[in-house]
Amino acid sequence: MSPADRPRTTNDSGVPAPSDEFSLTVGPEGPTVLHDHYTVQKMQHFNRERVPERVVHAKGTGAHGVFEVTGDVSRYTKAGLFQPGAKTDMFARFSLVAGELGYPDTVRDPRGFALKFYTEEGNYDLVGNNTPVFFVRDASKFQDFIHSQKRLPDTGMRSHDMQWDFWTLSPESVHQVMILMSDRGTPRTLRNMNGYGSHTFSWMNSGGEKFWIKYHFKTDQGVENFTDEAAMAMIPEDVDFHRRDLRESIEKGDFPSWTLHVQVMPFAEAEGYRFNPFDLTKVWPQGDYPLIEVGRMTLNRNPANFFAEVEQSSFSPANLVPGIGLSPDKMLMGRIFSYHDTHLHRIGTNYEQLPINRPRAEVNSYNKDGQMTYEHSGDQPVYAPNSHGGPVADPSDGLEIGWSVGGGEIGRYAYEKRAEDDDFGQARTLYEEVMSETDREHLVANIVGHASDDVAPETQLRVVAYWGAVNEELGAKVAEGLGIDLSAMNGQMEAARERVMALADHA
Ligand code: NDP
């Protein structure tokens, strides 16, 4: 393009810029003058380019797509986006959990799997991970958990000791740590991993019948993982490998897709189920609740502007649509508060007005004004109830899915144990019945590699006890790998075991 055909540079008020290169100075070698508003504005704006990075899930990437219903789950939910034949525009953001903005993509970490569906009934956000379970089951432990995965207060370094210290003192983490330490902790690409809603949610059909459900997005590309070695080798080659892979595959028309399935539990079955079905550290065995196909999500368009569409995209599990509700999962309850709160801080009061977050459905809210308000309600009354034609809620539209809590007393409760509510059972099933021999070998090698590096000897004993509680042979292999001679421990190993088991009993 010849210079004459190119657009003219302006300042942010649209006024033609005086120069792309030269500041306003007193003579060619003199000082810059303060009234060089154009240069000053460039500096001021540059200083304000960053928004606070997400405390968790900081590094991510995303793409636009569509969700198409292929099954018929109308007998379980009235949600419009899940009705036969429905097609809904959506946006997906994938992310690391602990890694900061510039972190290498292929490190061992769970991956965020956050989805925003722009439905006719408002935005529905499903903010999941690539694992069906989580490290803790109570939101009051979440901040401590994340601190332990981030950086030491004095050195600013990450610490494997801190990670294993927290995990082994929180035995409910063992199921998730096993998946993290397996090769699923290092997905080959974002296209080759599954996504899970992880929590239990509720659905309600048009007749008012309620169900508990879990979401599974199975990758149509097949699950593929890096070995630890291959994941590490990718770091110097391309720190943005996952970001690049997703972008390039969409660019060349190779659109990744995932098939959504749900598990459905009739509402009344939760009470008598053999373990707490709202415990985020557990899956529902598929033998009890088989997968039912719902539809397919296909990512088919890259963001045109990364900051506007990926950095500013803001998801909240509180964004539910009619026919979809919560459950008594204590982690989910905490997240309902936390996500909106963090976006208010990170992006601003009116973050939901930005194009990436803006609902396609009409917004008729009584919230008003605030920093950066763009959408105004004109002369709509600013209070309800009013006699001036302002919006009125229809309780039948906005019906929330409730459940009964049996008149308990307010208190701080551990999960009440049911017949199969131990921390180690499902990790044991995964290890003994689901993993292949290669998966098991890689798991041991990954645990040993991770726990050998900068982990205190007393923490290492607990690492052995933690895995030994899942499977004795697994514990012995980890001990051998860590060079711990169990016969020479003089009761220290027993003490570590008792500590881990006591913590598990307490949960
Ligand atoms: P199933 O045999 O019916 O399901 C096993 C599930 O495990 C499949 O969904 C499979 O997902 C997944 N899986 C296969 N290999 C691995 C691996 N190496 N690491 C992690 N997950 C893997 O058994 P159950 O439903 O009774 O579950 C048994 C165990 O499987 C659970 O304790 C849990 O650890 C794990 N699991 C269970 C899930 C569930 O929702 N029930 C979901 C994911 C894991 P895929 O088809 O993608 O390979």
Side-chain angles (χ1 to χ4, degrees):
M1 214 191 279
S2 80
D5 294 333
R6 289 171 57 176
R8 292 284 165 262
T9 312
T10 70
N11 69 10
D12 290 339
S13 303
V15 175
S19 164
D20 287 320
E21 304 162 85
F22 306 119
S23 42
L24 196 64
T25 55
V26 183
E29 293 181 15
T32 306
V33 296
L34 183 61
H35 68 267
D36 181 3
H37 176 65
Y38 180 70
T39 307
V40 169
Q41 187 185 59
K42 277 176 88 175
M43 287 194 270
Q44 287 173 316
H45 203 281
F46 181 75
N47 289 347
R48 290 164 177 78
E49 270 179 16
R50 298 283 178 274
V51 294
E53 82 171 33
R54 292 165 164 89
V55 184
V56 279
H57 296 277
K59 185 172 183 194
T61 194
H64 298 266
V66 64
F67 180 78
E68 293 167 272
V69 176
T70 53
D72 183 354
V73 288
S74 58
R75 64 189 181 282
Y76 303 120
T77 182
K78 62 178 181 177
L81 86 154
F82 293 137
Q83 297 311 302
K87 255 186 173 185
T88 304
D89 287 345
M90 51 153 314
F91 183 75
R93 181 177 183 272
F94 306 113
S95 53
L96 291 164
V97 172
E100 293 95 353
L101 266 178
Y103 228 69
D105 278 349
T106 56
V107 294
R108 185 171 304 286
D109 210 359
R111 301 299 190 284
F113 198 100
L115 310 175
K116 186 181 287 295
F117 300 92
Y118 304 98
T119 91
E120 288 169 11
E121 300 165 297
N123 284 353
Y124 175 47
D125 291 356
L126 186 55
V127 198
N129 274 334
N130 69 335
T131 58
V133 291
F134 196 63
F135 299 89
V136 291
R137 54 164 79 97
D138 190 306
S140 78
K141 282 184 91 167
F142 181 80
Q143 302 72 25
D144 300 298
F145 161 63
I146 292 300
H147 287 167
S148 76
Q149 310 300 299
K150 289 274 193 173
R151 292 175 185 275
L152 286 165
D154 49 352
T155 60
M157 307 287 272
R158 290 192 73 183
S159 157
H160 286 188
D161 183 63
M162 188 159 69
Q163 289 180 273
W164 286 105
D165 193 35
F166 180 89
W167 288 333
T168 57
L169 294 176
S170 308
E172 73 270 31
S173 64
V174 73
H175 193 190
Q176 168 80 329
V177 177
M178 179 174 278
I179 297 173
L180 176 66
M181 287 294 148
S182 79
D183 288 344
R184 289 197 178 203
T186 49
R188 200 176 79 77
T189 74
L190 299 169
R191 299 176 294 119
N192 292 109
M193 63 186 198
N194 292 337
Y196 302 87
S198 307
H199 301 285
T200 297
F201 293 92
S202 48
W203 272 5
M204 185 164 62
N205 66 19
S206 51
E209 201 183 351
K210 300 188 253 188
F211 304 88
W212 301 116
I213 62 120
K214 279 190 182 284
Y215 293 101
H216 299 247
F217 286 83
K218 295 244 187 191
T219 167
D220 294 329
Q221 292 66 242
V223 171
E224 283 182 37
N225 302 306
F226 276 135
T227 60
D228 193 58
E229 206 182 7
M232 297 297 280
M234 184 50 78
I235 295 175
E237 214 168 294
D238 187 354
V239 289
D240 297 322
F241 177 69
H242 282 171
R243 194 179 272 187
R244 194 180 317 280
D245 171 82
L246 182 67
R247 189 164 184 96
E248 287 179 354
S249 79
I250 292 174
E251 221 159 50
K252 63 175 191 252
D254 179 8
F255 300 144
S257 65
W258 285 260
T259 301
L260 170 63
H261 303 260
V262 284
Q263 289 177 286
V264 179
M265 179 188 285
F267 225 60
E269 280 180 26
E271 202 176 323
Y273 195 54
R274 55 201 161 89
F275 58 83
N276 186 330
F278 308 113
D279 174 354
L280 183 56
T281 69
K282 294 197 174 62
V283 298
W284 296 351
Q286 292 174 38
D288 290 359
Y289 298 102
L291 300 183
I292 300 168
E293 185 173 319
V294 182
R296 183 176 309 110
M297 132 183 154
T298 306
L299 300 182
N300 55 19
R301 180 161 60 89
N302 280 317
N305 183 283
F306 195 86
F307 183 82
E309 291 156 71
V310 180
E311 260 329 273
Q312 292 191 318
S313 64
S314 304
F315 303 82
S316 168
N319 287 344
L320 301 162
V321 289
I324 304 177
L326 305 172
S327 82
D329 175 332
K330 294 184 191 182
M331 272 297 298
L332 180 57
M333 308 263 96
R335 296 180 74 207
I336 295 306
F337 164 77
S338 189
Y339 280 66
H340 179 63
D341 186 61
T342 200
H343 303 316
L344 292 174
H345 157 71
R346 198 173 66 82
I347 308 289
T349 315
N350 287 299
Y351 74 91
E352 288 172 288
Q353 297 191 0
L354 293 173
I356 191 66
N357 301 322
R358 190 167 54 209
R360 308 275 164 92
E362 200 176 315
V363 176
N364 287 316
S365 152
Y366 281 98
N367 295 330
K368 64 190 278 286
D369 303 349
Q371 225 176 25
M372 308 295 285
T373 305
Y374 180 69
E375 301 285 354
H376 292 270
S377 47
D379 64 353
Q380 179 199 292
V382 292
Y383 58 91
N386 65 72
S387 52
H388 300 286
V392 283
D394 178 347
S396 67
D397 272 356
L399 184 65
E400 282 151 333
I401 305 179
W403 56 87
S404 87
V405 290
E409 239 183 78
I410 290 181
R412 296 183 187 274
Y413 297 100
Y415 265 94
E416 275 186 4
K417 297 239 178 224
R418 300 187 187 182
E420 290 187 20
D421 250 320
D422 78 303
D423 289 336
F424 305 105
Q426 291 202 343
R428 188 174 303 129
T429 308
L430 177 59
Y431 182 75
E432 293 175 358
E433 292 171 29
V434 178
M435 286 187 166
S436 66
E437 199 48 47
T438 310
D439 288 337
R440 284 194 282 261
E441 278 168 24
H442 289 193
L443 174 72
V444 171
N446 294 340
I447 293 170
V448 168
H450 199 277
S452 304
D453 178 18
D454 176 37
V455 177
E458 62 274 20
T459 314
Q460 286 184 330
L461 286 186
R462 257 186 283 124
V463 171
V464 173
Y466 178 86
W467 294 115
V470 172
N471 175 287
E472 222 172 293
E473 178 200 73
L474 171 61
K477 285 186 176 165
V478 170
E480 189 188 334
L482 293 174
I484 295 172
D485 178 358
L486 294 177
S487 63
M489 280 293 124
N490 296 331
Q492 288 174 62
M493 191 61 234
E494 207 34 56
R497 256 187 220 120
E498 277 170 18
R499 181 134 193 234
V500 169
M501 295 314 288
L503 287 162
D505 277 347
H506 165 75

